[in-house]
Amino acid sequence: MQIELKSALESRFQKLLDYPVGANNFPRSMSLNPVTIQTVSSNDWTSGFFPGNLWQLYKLTGNTLYQEKAKTWTKLVENQKENDRTHDMGFKVYCSFGEGLKQNPNNSYYKDVILESAKTLTTRYNDTVQSIRSWDFNKDVWDFPVIIDNMMNLELLFEATKLSGDSIYHQIAVKHANTTLKHQFRADQSVFHVVNYDTISGAVKTKDTHQGFNRNSSWARGQAWAIYGYTMCYRYTKDPAYLNQAKATTAFYMQHKNLPKDGVPYWDFNDPKIPNAPRDASAAAVVTSALFELFTFTNETGYLEFANKVLSHLNSEDYILGSTVEGPFILDHSTGNWPKNDEINEPIVYADYYFLEALLRKQQLD
């Protein structure tokens, strides 16, 4: 499948390379009818993914043109290192500067930006709640909201301790992971999107959703963030509780009656319009990348077989954009925010990031 699509993929890769650099030109998503690219500034939570895509393309292809473009785009994210109004430092900075550091491990500039960003992220930590605050909006609804997506930003903190030797970053990451582990999961091991805490007592006030079908539904990308997040946390801590949670939520995901045969989920497992509901290739890419790593910790071949199956479908004409589509994206059929009717069934930058990471992880395993 990969050999057959090599030229199709390379034509998509070239479109990322050709895309013009600009501080307010980070590509986030694209509508196909008519073709319209949604661009954002570095302030957007998705800004780190496009530089990360270029870094990963350099690693996949060996073409230094991707490396040079990645350096240019990465530098445009630096102005976020002191932005304390967001929990998305990991997505912004570790997916850009972190990818750069992996390929340039002695680059002091990249290290400094990562450490400054991690320091900024810790300012959102509340020791009473034992978590990092997610959003600042909807203050009339939420006192201290924590979303499952926030698990993905912990990698920045774990790496900051490795880079600096200061254990505070690691400690905060573990406390956040433990609090989420305790309160964010249902009995069937699916995940709530938003848990709202009381800042005085630290107690849970409400459990809700912001991007799922309803508060009791299973938003597909939320399950993906949980699987990936706890697999990643196990990498840094070797805490068996994290591994067990990753496995439990993976079982919920893989065995769900509403999961299509190709393993690419509907945007929410409980959308009553299934099978006429939008898919979410981004959730599939996140889970696929996570399962390649989860396999290395468990040697459970079911994870590897599932990941290979889903990757083969993503890496096909069913999901890869055609060569005539002009835009810096690779995968089609992701769903961003269904409740707001925003970015539905279209290319989204983070789907490409985790798809490329999955390709690299499979390559390393092979």
mmCIF file of all heavy atoms in Angstrom, residues 343-359:
data_model
loop_
_atom_site.group_PDB
_atom_site.id
_atom_site.type_symbol
_atom_site.label_atom_id
_atom_site.label_comp_id
_atom_site.label_asym_id
_atom_site.label_seq_id
_atom_site.Cartn_x
_atom_site.Cartn_y
_atom_site.Cartn_z
ATOM 1 N N GLU A 343 -14.889 23.125 10.783
ATOM 2 C CA GLU A 343 -13.894 22.158 10.304
ATOM 3 C C GLU A 343 -14.473 20.737 10.286
ATOM 4 O O GLU A 343 -13.981 19.825 10.950
ATOM 5 C CB GLU A 343 -12.632 22.222 11.162
ATOM 6 C CG GLU A 343 -11.945 23.579 11.109
ATOM 7 C CD GLU A 343 -10.758 23.719 12.037
ATOM 8 O OE1 GLU A 343 -10.769 23.082 13.122
ATOM 9 O OE2 GLU A 343 -9.825 24.474 11.707
ATOM 10 N N ILE A 344 -15.518 20.560 9.521
ATOM 11 C CA ILE A 344 -16.201 19.273 9.440
ATOM 12 C C ILE A 344 -15.787 18.522 8.176
ATOM 13 O O ILE A 344 -15.921 19.035 7.065
ATOM 14 C CB ILE A 344 -17.739 19.452 9.439
ATOM 15 C CG1 ILE A 344 -18.180 20.338 10.621
ATOM 16 C CG2 ILE A 344 -18.434 18.099 9.473
ATOM 17 C CD1 ILE A 344 -17.850 19.787 11.986
ATOM 18 N N ASN A 345 -15.259 17.319 8.353
ATOM 19 C CA ASN A 345 -14.931 16.433 7.240
ATOM 20 C C ASN A 345 -13.980 17.098 6.241
ATOM 21 O O ASN A 345 -14.246 17.138 5.040
ATOM 22 C CB ASN A 345 -16.220 15.973 6.530
ATOM 23 C CG ASN A 345 -15.970 14.824 5.573
ATOM 24 O OD1 ASN A 345 -15.107 13.980 5.811
ATOM 25 N ND2 ASN A 345 -16.723 14.791 4.479
ATOM 26 N N GLU A 346 -12.864 17.603 6.755
ATOM 27 C CA GLU A 346 -11.912 18.303 5.899
ATOM 28 C C GLU A 346 -10.481 18.127 6.413
ATOM 29 O O GLU A 346 -10.268 17.592 7.502
ATOM 30 C CB GLU A 346 -12.277 19.790 5.802
ATOM 31 C CG GLU A 346 -12.242 20.549 7.106
ATOM 32 C CD GLU A 346 -12.777 21.976 6.945
ATOM 33 O OE1 GLU A 346 -13.726 22.178 6.172
ATOM 34 O OE2 GLU A 346 -12.224 22.880 7.602
ATOM 35 N N PRO A 347 -9.484 18.568 5.647
ATOM 36 C CA PRO A 347 -8.100 18.473 6.100
ATOM 37 C C PRO A 347 -7.845 19.395 7.298
ATOM 38 O O PRO A 347 -8.252 20.560 7.294
ATOM 39 C CB PRO A 347 -7.295 18.942 4.881
ATOM 40 C CG PRO A 347 -8.209 18.748 3.715
ATOM 41 C CD PRO A 347 -9.577 19.022 4.246
ATOM 42 N N ILE A 348 -7.155 18.867 8.317
ATOM 43 C CA ILE A 348 -6.773 19.642 9.495
ATOM 44 C C ILE A 348 -5.328 19.317 9.821
ATOM 45 O O ILE A 348 -4.912 18.152 9.777
ATOM 46 C CB ILE A 348 -7.683 19.348 10.705
ATOM 47 C CG1 ILE A 348 -9.162 19.603 10.359
ATOM 48 C CG2 ILE A 348 -7.287 20.211 11.902
ATOM 49 C CD1 ILE A 348 -10.137 19.296 11.505
ATOM 50 N N VAL A 349 -4.556 20.304 10.214
ATOM 51 C CA VAL A 349 -3.106 20.171 10.309
ATOM 52 C C VAL A 349 -2.653 19.126 11.317
ATOM 53 O O VAL A 349 -1.660 18.421 11.091
ATOM 54 C CB VAL A 349 -2.465 21.552 10.604
ATOM 55 C CG1 VAL A 349 -2.856 22.061 11.988
ATOM 56 C CG2 VAL A 349 -0.956 21.508 10.417
ATOM 57 N N TYR A 350 -3.353 18.970 12.439
ATOM 58 C CA TYR A 350 -2.869 18.016 13.437
ATOM 59 C C TYR A 350 -3.090 16.571 13.007
ATOM 60 O O TYR A 350 -2.385 15.671 13.484
ATOM 61 C CB TYR A 350 -3.448 18.284 14.825
ATOM 62 C CG TYR A 350 -4.932 18.571 14.896
ATOM 63 C CD1 TYR A 350 -5.876 17.552 14.873
ATOM 64 C CD2 TYR A 350 -5.389 19.880 15.016
ATOM 65 C CE1 TYR A 350 -7.228 17.822 14.955
ATOM 66 C CE2 TYR A 350 -6.751 20.161 15.097
ATOM 67 C CZ TYR A 350 -7.664 19.123 15.072
ATOM 68 O OH TYR A 350 -9.011 19.391 15.150
ATOM 69 N N ALA A 351 -4.032 16.327 12.116
ATOM 70 C CA ALA A 351 -4.173 14.976 11.563
ATOM 71 C C ALA A 351 -2.896 14.583 10.822
ATOM 72 O O ALA A 351 -2.392 13.454 10.967
ATOM 73 C CB ALA A 351 -5.368 14.900 10.631
ATOM 74 N N ASP A 352 -2.363 15.528 10.051
ATOM 75 C CA ASP A 352 -1.123 15.267 9.314
ATOM 76 C C ASP A 352 0.039 15.010 10.254
ATOM 77 O O ASP A 352 0.879 14.138 10.009
ATOM 78 C CB ASP A 352 -0.785 16.447 8.402
ATOM 79 C CG ASP A 352 -1.802 16.662 7.301
ATOM 80 O OD1 ASP A 352 -2.635 15.752 7.072
ATOM 81 O OD2 ASP A 352 -1.787 17.740 6.681
ATOM 82 N N TYR A 353 0.103 15.764 11.347
ATOM 83 C CA TYR A 353 1.211 15.620 12.300
ATOM 84 C C TYR A 353 1.271 14.195 12.848
ATOM 85 O O TYR A 353 2.332 13.545 12.839
ATOM 86 C CB TYR A 353 1.066 16.632 13.437
ATOM 87 C CG TYR A 353 2.167 16.551 14.461
ATOM 88 C CD1 TYR A 353 3.336 17.302 14.327
ATOM 89 C CD2 TYR A 353 2.057 15.714 15.575
ATOM 90 C CE1 TYR A 353 4.359 17.227 15.254
ATOM 91 C CE2 TYR A 353 3.078 15.627 16.510
ATOM 92 C CZ TYR A 353 4.218 16.383 16.348
ATOM 93 O OH TYR A 353 5.235 16.297 17.275
ATOM 94 N N TYR A 354 0.154 13.697 13.332
ATOM 95 C CA TYR A 354 0.163 12.369 13.947
ATOM 96 C C TYR A 354 0.212 11.259 12.906
ATOM 97 O O TYR A 354 0.718 10.165 13.189
ATOM 98 C CB TYR A 354 -1.016 12.227 14.911
ATOM 99 C CG TYR A 354 -0.849 13.153 16.097
ATOM 100 C CD1 TYR A 354 -1.561 14.340 16.180
ATOM 101 C CD2 TYR A 354 0.085 12.873 17.089
ATOM 102 C CE1 TYR A 354 -1.373 15.223 17.242
ATOM 103 C CE2 TYR A 354 0.293 13.740 18.157
ATOM 104 C CZ TYR A 354 -0.443 14.924 18.221
ATOM 105 O OH TYR A 354 -0.226 15.791 19.270
ATOM 106 N N PHE A 355 -0.258 11.530 11.687
ATOM 107 C CA PHE A 355 -0.092 10.582 10.590
ATOM 108 C C PHE A 355 1.389 10.418 10.253
ATOM 109 O O PHE A 355 1.893 9.290 10.124
ATOM 110 C CB PHE A 355 -0.873 11.070 9.366
ATOM 111 C CG PHE A 355 -0.618 10.300 8.106
ATOM 112 C CD1 PHE A 355 -1.063 8.995 7.969
ATOM 113 C CD2 PHE A 355 0.055 10.892 7.037
ATOM 114 C CE1 PHE A 355 -0.834 8.283 6.790
ATOM 115 C CE2 PHE A 355 0.281 10.194 5.864
ATOM 116 C CZ PHE A 355 -0.162 8.876 5.742
ATOM 117 N N LEU A 356 2.102 11.525 10.146
ATOM 118 C CA LEU A 356 3.535 11.461 9.857
ATOM 119 C C LEU A 356 4.293 10.797 10.999
ATOM 120 O O LEU A 356 5.218 10.007 10.766
ATOM 121 C CB LEU A 356 4.087 12.873 9.601
ATOM 122 C CG LEU A 356 3.591 13.552 8.322
ATOM 123 C CD1 LEU A 356 4.015 15.015 8.290
ATOM 124 C CD2 LEU A 356 4.098 12.820 7.080
ATOM 125 N N GLU A 357 3.899 11.097 12.230
ATOM 126 C CA GLU A 357 4.541 10.460 13.378
ATOM 127 C C GLU A 357 4.298 8.952 13.347
ATOM 128 O O GLU A 357 5.205 8.161 13.652
ATOM 129 C CB GLU A 357 4.013 11.052 14.684
ATOM 130 C CG GLU A 357 4.723 10.515 15.918
ATOM 131 C CD GLU A 357 4.206 11.158 17.192
ATOM 132 O OE1 GLU A 357 3.044 10.843 17.585
ATOM 133 O OE2 GLU A 357 4.944 11.949 17.798
ATOM 134 N N ALA A 358 3.082 8.545 12.974
ATOM 135 C CA ALA A 358 2.781 7.122 12.871
ATOM 136 C C ALA A 358 3.637 6.456 11.793
ATOM 137 O O ALA A 358 4.152 5.336 11.993
ATOM 138 C CB ALA A 358 1.298 6.915 12.575
ATOM 139 N N LEU A 359 3.809 7.120 10.646
ATOM 140 C CA LEU A 359 4.670 6.580 9.603
ATOM 141 C C LEU A 359 6.095 6.391 10.107
ATOM 142 O O LEU A 359 6.731 5.357 9.844
ATOM 143 C CB LEU A 359 4.684 7.515 8.385
ATOM 144 C CG LEU A 359 3.427 7.567 7.508
ATOM 145 C CD1 LEU A 359 3.584 8.643 6.448
ATOM 146 C CD2 LEU A 359 3.140 6.215 6.875
#
